[in-house]
C-alpha cells in the first residue's frame, strides 16, 4: 500500500478543522498548526444553510449537530423603522427542498463538533500554540516553518483566516480592506428575556444604514443577536489598525449602538436595550480572487477566509469554508486512486471553488447595500419583498446541490 500523503494545515478554525476532517477521510495524513493555546471560538452564533448542513451530515456529524443546534422554522424579514413585516421564508421546507435543514448554532459548538470528529483520528495531529511563520515550496515538497520547528509535507493549506500569512506569502497582495461596517454581537439566555423578545425564528430587521439579525442557538436556549451599523470603530479609523483588527473582538459601548438605532421601532429598541453587554467586530473583507490560480499555486492552497473573506450578509463565510473543505477532500482523494500529482489536484480544487466563492462574496456585498438602503431604494426594496417575498429569499443556486467542475 502507498504511504499516505501529508497535508499541513495552517490554522485550526472552522475551515482548518473541517479541511482536516475532509482530507483525513480521503486517506491523507493531516497535521493542523494553530497559533492559539486552545481550539476556541468566541461566544456568537452562525447560520448554516442546507448546503452546509448536507455536508456535515455526509461527514456523519448530523446527530451531533442535532444535539447542539437549533432548526428555526421560519425566516422573517421586517422593516427596522416601522416594524412592518416584509417577507418570510419557510425554513421548515428546506429538508424536502434541499435534502437538509437550515441550522443556527453557537460557533463554539460548531468548532467542538469538528474537533470531536478530528481529535481521536490516528491520521490527524493537532498542534496548539504553534504559529506558522512561512513556507517554502520547492516543487517536490513543501516546507512549513512554525514557531519551534519546521516540518515538510506534500501540500500546505492556508486556513489562517482574514489576515492569512500564507496568503500574503503566496499572492503578495495587500491587507484586507475595511468595510466601514461594525458588527455588535450578543448572546442572551432566552429564559431571561420578556416573552415578547424570545424567538425561535430567524428575524432580520432592515435599515436605514443598519440591520439587525437574531436567531436561536443551543437548541433554542439562547438568542444570538447581531446588529450591523455603518461607522468607524472606537478611536475612529486610527483605532482600526491591522493589529487592533486582527484581535477582532473589542469591548464596546452599548450607548453607541442605542444612538445608532434611535430611529428604529419600539420592539427592536427593546431588544437592543435587553442586551447587557455587546462585543464589537470591525468588519473587513477582500475583493473576490481574480482566477483559480490565486486559490492554489504549486503545492499550496487557500481555504475559507484566507481565500475569500466576505461580508457576513449572506451568512455563508463559514459555509464556504466547509464547502471548500469538502471539495479539497474530494480532489485529494485522486492522489492515490488516479495517481495524479498533488499540484494538479490542488489546481482542480481551486477551479471547482473560486467562482462559487466569488459569487457568494459578490452577493453578500450586494445584500449589504440592499439591507441598508435609504430613500426610494428602501421603498422599492420593501415593495419587492412584499410582492415577491419567498422568491427573493430562497436561493436554489446557493442551497441546492453543486455541479462538480469538469
Ligand atoms: P478563522 O475562523 O479566522 O480561523 C483562522 C484560524 O487560523 C484561527 O484559529 C487563527 O487563530 C489561526 N491562525 C491565524 N494565523 C495563524 C498562524 N500564523 N499560525 C497558526 N494559526 C493561525 N459565516 C457563516 O457561514 N454563517 C454566518 O451566519 C456568519 N455570520 C457571521 C457574522 C459576523 C459578524 C462575522 C464577522 C462573520 C460571520 N460569518 C458567518 C463568517 C465566518 O465567521 C467566517 O467566514 C469563518 O469563521 C472563517 O473561518 P476560517 O477557519 O476560514 O477562519
Amino acid at each position: 500500500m502507498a504511504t499516505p500523503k501529508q497535508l499541513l494545515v495552517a490554522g485550526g478554525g472552522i475551515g482548518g478543522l473541517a479541511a482536516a476532517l475532509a482530507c483525513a477521510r480521503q486517506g491523507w495524513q493531516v497535521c493542523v498548526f494553530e497559533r492559539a493555546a486552545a481550539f476556541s471560538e468566541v461566544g456568537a452564533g452562525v447560520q448554516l444553510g442546507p448546503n452546509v448542513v448536507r455536508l456535515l451530515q455526509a461527514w456523519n456529524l448530523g446527530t451531533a449537530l442535532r444535539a447542539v443546534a437549533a432548526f428555526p422554522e421560519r425566516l422573517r424579514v421586517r422593516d427596522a423603522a416601522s416594524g412592518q413585516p416584509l417577507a418570510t421564508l419557510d425554513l421548515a421546507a428546506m429538508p424536502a427542498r434541499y435534502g437538509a435543514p437550515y441550522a443556527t448554532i453557537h460557533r463554539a459548538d460548531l468548532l467542538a463538533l469538528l474537533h470531536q470528529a478530528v481529535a481521536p483520528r490516528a491520521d490527524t495531529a493537532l498542534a496548539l500554540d504553534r504559529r506558522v511563520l512561512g513556507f517554502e515550496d520547492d516543487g517536490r515538497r513543501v516546507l512549513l516553518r512554525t514557531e519551534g520547528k519546521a516540518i515538510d509535507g506534500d501540500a500546505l493549506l492556508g486556513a489562517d483566516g482574514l489576515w492569512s500569512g500564507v496568503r500574503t506569502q503566496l499572492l503578495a497582495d495587500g491587507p484586507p480592506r475595511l468595510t466601514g461596517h461594525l458588527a455588535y454581537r450578543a448572546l442572551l439566555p432566552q429564559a431571561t428575556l420578556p416573552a415578547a423578545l424570545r424567538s425561535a425564528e430567524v428575524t432580520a430587521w432592515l435599515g436605514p444604514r443598519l440591520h439587525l439579525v437574531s436567531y436561536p442557538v443551543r437548541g433554542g436556549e439562547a438568542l444570538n443577536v447581531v446588529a450591523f451599523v455603518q461607522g468607524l470603530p472606537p478611536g475612529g479609523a486610527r483605532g482600526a489598525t491591522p493589529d487592533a483588527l486582527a484581535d477582532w473582538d473589542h469591548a464596546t459601548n452599548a450607548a453607541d449602538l442605542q444612538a445608532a438605532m434611535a430611529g428604529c421601532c419600539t420592539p427592536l429598541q427593546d431588544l437592543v436595550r435587553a442586551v447587557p453587554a455587546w462585543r464589537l467586530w470591525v468588519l473587513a473583507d477582500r475583493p473576490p480572487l481574480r482566477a483559480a490560480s490565486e486559490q492554489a499555486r504549486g503545492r499550496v492552497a487557500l481555504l475559507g477566509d484566507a481565500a475569500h473573506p466576505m461580508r457576513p450578509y449572506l451568512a455563508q463565510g463559514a459555509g464556504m469554508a466547509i464547502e471548500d473543505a469538502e471539495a479539497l477532500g474530494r480532489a485529494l482523494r485522486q492522489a492515490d486512486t488516479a495517481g495524479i500529482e498533488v499540484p494538479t489536484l490542488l489546481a482542480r480544487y481551486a477551479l471547482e471553488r473560486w467562482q462559487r466563492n466569488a459569487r457568494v462574496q459578490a452577493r453578500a456585498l450586494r445584500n449589504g447595500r440592499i439591507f441598508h438602503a435609504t430613500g426610494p431604494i428602501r421603498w422599492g426594496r420593501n415593495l419587492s419583498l412584499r410582492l415577491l417575498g419567498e422568491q427573493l429569499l430562497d436561493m436554489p443556486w446557493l442551497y441546492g446541490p453543486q455541479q462538480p467542475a469538469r
Side-chain angles (χ1 to χ4, degrees), residues 9-18 33-36 38-41 44-49 52 102-105 107 110-111 127 129-134 146 158-166 182-185 215 224 226-228 248 281-284 303-322 324:
V9 179
I14 290 165
L17 291 190
F33 299 91
E34 167 57 46
R35 68 180 170 189
F39 292 102
S40 65
E41 281 274 348
V46 67
Q47 303 180 61
L48 301 175
V52 186
Y102 195 99
T104 51
I105 184 170
R107 272 157 193 274
L110 177 57
L111 198 75
D129 251 330
R130 287 284 291 280
R131 183 181 292 272
V132 167
L133 303 175
T146 71
D160 46 349
L162 176 67
W163 297 95
S164 168
V166 174
L182 305 173
Y184 292 78
R185 303 168 114 181
Y215 51 83
N224 183 79
V226 53
F228 299 94
W248 244 33
W281 270 254
V282 179
L283 298 183
L303 173 145
D305 277 10
H308 41 73
M310 60 185 77
R311 299 193 185 196
Y313 304 150
L314 197 58
Q316 284 281 341
M320 289 305 108
I322 290 169
D324 282 352

Side-chain angles (χ1 to χ4, degrees), residues 46-56 94 98 100-104 314-316 319 323 398-399:
V46 67
Q47 303 180 61
L48 301 175
N51 54 314
V52 186
V53 174
R54 219 171 24 242
L55 299 182
L56 297 176
M94 294 267 170
Y98 299 117
Y102 195 99
T104 51
L314 197 58
Q316 284 281 341
E323 282 195 6
L398 180 60
Y399 299 141

